[in-house]
């Protein structure tokens, strides 16, 4: 527990470094491309177009939620998913790629996943603005439930750091973990409610309840329900899923910070 709080405090005390390095890392990634940072926004838009044509047009079987067209419903869900999936992968290899830099500069290795989390936020905010635009076009207007979005955003950031500190350490110890993680995320894409509404599907009720325990589903569905005014966090089954989400996130955070603290003195040698 002490180790976890120590590593969390390192994120706050080094926030300015995280912000500066996130901007630098973002620019360096696309500096050799003609369109530069525009690709951060074009890539998700292209993916959204493909998924909408396949699942919203070719395979469409009615709106996933009463009174809500498929396109804004899907975009609201796919926005956090694209951000989370990219950030999980980027953060998982952050220590492996940048530990040499961290060893030459005076900042803790534990902030490397945070740099990736902050660096990818620009595309998330852009996609969120696009989601809100689609909602307004479809006559879905702001309500009091939108305030819950702040809570689910915090949930998303905490979950990503818990995964980031855990995966970045395991990737150094087990190189195959990066490839395994990619396969897991491909599977989770279809199990996180991004393209399908579990409640209106033909899945057995028990299977739906199991799928709802997915932490990615909790964030995606929570943001979606907040913006579409379809539920509150303290209502059932959201309350039960909230307890499961924070229990899972806490366990991953404790275990991840423990591993990180145990092996970070040997990261350079291991790599």
């Amino acid at each position: 527990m002490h180790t976890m709080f120590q590593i969390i405090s390192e994120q706050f005390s080094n926030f300015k470094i995280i912000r500066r390095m996130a901007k630098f890392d973002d620019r360096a990634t696309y500096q050799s491309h003609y369109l530069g940072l525009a690709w951060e926004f074009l890539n998700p838009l292209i993916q959204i177009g493909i998924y909408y044509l396949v699942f919203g047009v070719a395979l469409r079987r009615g709106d996933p939620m009463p009174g809500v067209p498929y396109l804004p419903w899907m975009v609201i869900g796919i926005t956090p998913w694209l951000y989370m999936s990219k950030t999980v992968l980027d953060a998982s290899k952050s220590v492996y790629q940048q530990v040499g830099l961290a060893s030459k500069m005076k900042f803790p290795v534990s902030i490397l996943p945070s740099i990736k989390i902050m660096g990818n936020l620009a595309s998330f905010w852009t996609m969120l603005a696009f989601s809100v635009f689609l909602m307004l076009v479809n006559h879905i207007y702001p309500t009091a439930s939108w305030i819950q979005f702040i809570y689910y955003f915090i949930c998303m950031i905490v979950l990503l750091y818990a995964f980031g500190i855990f995966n970045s350490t395991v990737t150094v110890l087990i190189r195959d973990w990066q490839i395994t993680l990619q396969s897991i995320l491909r599977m989770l894409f279809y199990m996180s409610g991004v393209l399908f509404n579990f409640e209106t599907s033909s899945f057995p009720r028990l299977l739906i309840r199991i799928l709802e325990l997915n932490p990615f589903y909790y964030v995606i569905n929570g943001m979606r329900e907040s913006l579409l005014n379809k539920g509150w966090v303290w209502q059932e089954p959201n309350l039960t899923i909230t307890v499961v989400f924070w229990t899972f996130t806490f366990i991953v955070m404790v275990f991840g910070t423990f591993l990180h603290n145990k092996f970070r003195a040997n990261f350079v040698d291991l790599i």
Side-chain angles (χ1 to χ4, degrees):
M1 287 290 290
H2 174 72
T3 299
M4 182 183 71
F5 288 119
Q6 178 185 354
I7 288 179
I8 291 175
S9 67
E10 290 175 352
Q11 312 311 304
F12 291 99
S13 60
N14 292 276
F15 180 76
K16 291 183 179 179
I17 296 176
I18 293 172
R19 184 173 58 185
R20 288 199 299 268
M21 293 193 67
K23 290 181 179 180
F24 173 79
D25 188 55
D26 216 22
R27 294 173 182 173
T29 302
Y30 297 98
Q31 65 178 356
S32 61
H33 298 72
Y34 286 113
L35 296 179
L37 291 174
W39 280 114
E40 280 201 356
F41 317 122
L42 290 175
N43 277 330
L45 288 175
I46 292 171
Q47 292 184 60
I48 287 172
I50 294 172
Y51 290 133
Y52 176 68
L53 290 175
V54 174
F55 297 97
V57 177
L59 301 178
R60 183 173 180 178
R61 297 180 180 177
D63 295 334
M65 196 174 282
V68 181
Y70 185 79
L71 182 58
W73 183 90
M74 182 196 71
V75 173
I76 293 171
I78 206 171
T79 294
W81 168 259
L82 291 176
Y83 169 69
M84 288 191 291
S85 60
K86 184 177 188 304
T87 302
V88 166
L89 290 176
D90 288 349
S92 68
K93 54 188 177 184
S94 60
V95 171
Y96 177 79
Q97 291 179 334
Q98 301 293 340
V99 70
L101 176 64
S103 64
K104 298 175 183 177
M105 299 177 64
K106 291 184 178 180
F107 65 82
V109 182
S110 65
I111 72 170
L112 292 176
S114 294
I115 293 171
K116 297 298 182 181
I117 293 172
M118 181 170 287
N120 291 334
L121 273 176
S123 60
F124 172 77
W125 294 126
T126 302
M127 291 305 302
L128 182 63
F130 179 62
S131 302
V132 173
F133 170 75
L134 286 177
M135 292 171 59
L136 296 177
V137 168
N138 287 274
H139 308 290
I140 303 172
Y141 302 109
T143 62
S145 67
W146 281 35
I147 194 68
Q148 288 186 135
F149 182 86
I150 299 174
Y151 163 74
Y152 286 107
F153 178 78
I154 295 172
C155 291
M156 180 173 68
I157 297 300
V158 174
L159 176 67
L160 288 177
Y161 187 76
F163 274 133
I165 198 70
F166 172 79
N167 290 326
S168 61
T169 304
V170 175
T171 300
V172 173
L173 301 175
I174 307 173
R175 301 292 174 81
D176 292 343
W177 180 243
Q178 178 70 25
I179 299 175
T180 304
L181 195 59
Q182 294 177 9
S183 300
I184 293 174
L185 287 173
R186 291 193 191 100
M187 177 183 65
L188 286 176
F189 175 70
Y190 297 99
M191 298 174 60
S192 300
V194 179
L195 301 175
F196 311 103
N197 188 347
F198 295 152
E199 292 296 332
T200 59
S201 68
S202 57
F203 295 159
R205 182 58 54 179
L206 178 60
L207 177 59
I208 293 175
R209 292 294 169 249
I210 294 175
L211 292 173
E212 288 176 344
L213 299 179
N214 176 358
F216 290 99
Y217 171 84
Y218 178 75
V219 173
I220 292 170
N221 188 64
M223 289 185 172
R224 184 179 274 151
E225 288 191 343
S226 298
L227 296 179
L228 296 176
N229 192 27
K230 297 297 180 179
W232 295 91
V233 67
W234 57 79
Q235 295 175 334
E236 289 290 351
N238 290 342
L239 184 59
T240 301
I241 303 174
T242 297
V243 174
V244 174
F245 171 83
W246 283 111
T247 302
F248 173 82
T249 303
F250 177 77
I251 293 173
V252 175
M253 181 76 78
V254 170
F255 191 51
T257 52
F258 169 76
L259 286 178
H260 178 88
N261 187 63
K262 181 178 181 179
F263 291 103
R264 66 175 170 181
N266 303 315
F267 279 158
V268 176
D269 297 331
L270 289 171
I271 293 175

